[in-house]
Amino acid sequence: IRDRYHDIPISTNFKILKHFSMSLGTSYQEVWTPQTIRYRDYDTLTQTVKKDTIRKFDAFRTYSFGASLGTTIYGTFNFGDDKKIQSIRHTIRPAISYGYSPSFEKQYYDTYIIDADGNTREYTQFEGGLFGQPSRGISKSMGISINNLFEAKVVDPDTTKTELKKVQLIKQLNLSTSYNFIANQFKWSPESCLLYTSPRPRDKRQ
């Protein structure tokens, strides 16, 4: 048997109070391997640590969970029918997300003595595997983002057209940050800001 990786994602989406979109998801991973390893305690006679390769099928299993909640808010600023820019529409999409992944240290990790002083090292029998190894620490975080879109309705330069022209002023203005529940300090990450503007139309040349 060869190393194999299996991933089963499960997700669902639904509305809350008509205006909020809720998303829930979980992911289950299973890794198969034809061999694992085992370290023996430090041998005082040979002054070495022996590593055994166990050629026998084994597997480890992990999972994670995530959720997000978002909505869309619209605001319109009108300047009058006699203006070249008659209105600007601001679309705001705030969202909050949560992610959790447990620690699998107790299930898949062990220790061995590495020297004559009795110092120990932690390891997993799946160390060096093709598809990685089980996570040791808990991961629990929250993300907050606000996406903005600015559009305008302007008088079309083509006087033969009677309908207003829709123009994207700012395609995306994204603000985001995250909070790490596990971190001992600096739990809040620095805020990030991404700005995407619509490309200007190219000049038409003969």
Side-chain angles (χ1 to χ4, degrees):
I1 186 173
R2 297 180 179 178
D3 290 79
R4 294 184 182 274
Y5 174 79
H6 306 272
D7 185 10
I8 304 176
I10 301 174
S11 61
T12 183
N13 299 277
F14 52 91
K15 289 284 187 179
I16 298 178
L17 301 176
K18 295 183 179 181
H19 301 293
F20 294 90
S21 297
M22 186 75 183
S23 176
L24 298 175
T26 184
S27 181
Y28 172 83
Q29 298 86 28
E30 186 168 307
V31 174
W32 296 356
T33 180
Q35 64 182 34
T36 55
I37 63 168
R38 181 182 61 187
Y39 287 99
R40 299 187 186 184
D41 289 336
Y42 178 80
D43 190 327
T44 55
L45 295 177
T46 61
Q47 298 183 350
T48 59
V49 172
K50 187 175 181 181
K51 176 183 175 181
D52 297 326
T53 299
I54 304 171
R55 303 188 185 282
K56 181 182 177 182
F57 169 80
D58 208 337
F60 69 84
R61 301 159 186 87
T62 61
Y63 60 89
S64 58
F65 169 80
S68 64
L69 179 67
T71 189
T72 303
I73 304 170
Y74 301 97
T76 302
F77 305 90
N78 296 310
F79 301 105
D81 295 339
D82 58 335
K83 305 294 183 181
K84 184 176 180 180
I85 300 177
Q86 295 194 3
S87 65
I88 292 178
R89 187 187 196 190
H90 182 195
T91 304
I92 311 171
R93 293 187 175 91
I96 184 171
S97 61
Y98 173 81
Y100 172 76
S101 178
S103 171
F104 299 94
E105 186 173 357
K106 292 183 178 180
Q107 296 96 315
Y108 301 117
Y109 282 80
D110 202 351
T111 58
Y112 66 96
I113 300 174
I114 62 174
D115 55 32
D117 294 329
N119 294 312
T120 61
R121 174 183 176 268
E122 191 174 51
Y123 80 103
T124 174
Q125 65 265 37
F126 301 98
E127 193 172 273
L130 182 62
F131 297 103
Q133 58 194 47
S135 58
R136 293 176 57 186
I138 297 174
S139 174
K140 184 163 57 174
S141 61
M142 175 183 66
I144 301 173
S145 64
I146 302 176
N147 299 336
N148 299 271
L149 168 65
F150 293 88
E151 300 171 302
K153 285 187 176 181
V154 301
V155 177
D156 199 306
D158 188 347
T159 56
T160 62
K161 296 182 178 180
T162 57
E163 294 185 0
L164 296 175
K165 184 178 180 180
K166 189 176 180 180
V167 178
Q168 285 189 344
L169 302 177
I170 299 178
K171 193 173 183 179
Q172 288 186 46
L173 175 58
N174 301 339
L175 305 173
S176 62
T177 187
S178 61
Y179 182 84
N180 188 338
F181 293 93
I182 308 301
N184 294 325
Q185 56 181 343
F186 307 115
K187 292 180 178 290
W188 285 102
S189 67
E191 294 182 5
S192 64
C193 178
L194 297 176
L195 174 64
Y196 299 92
T197 58
S198 299
R200 296 181 180 179
R202 295 182 180 180
D203 295 336
K204 295 182 179 180
R205 297 181 180 181
Q206 298 293 334

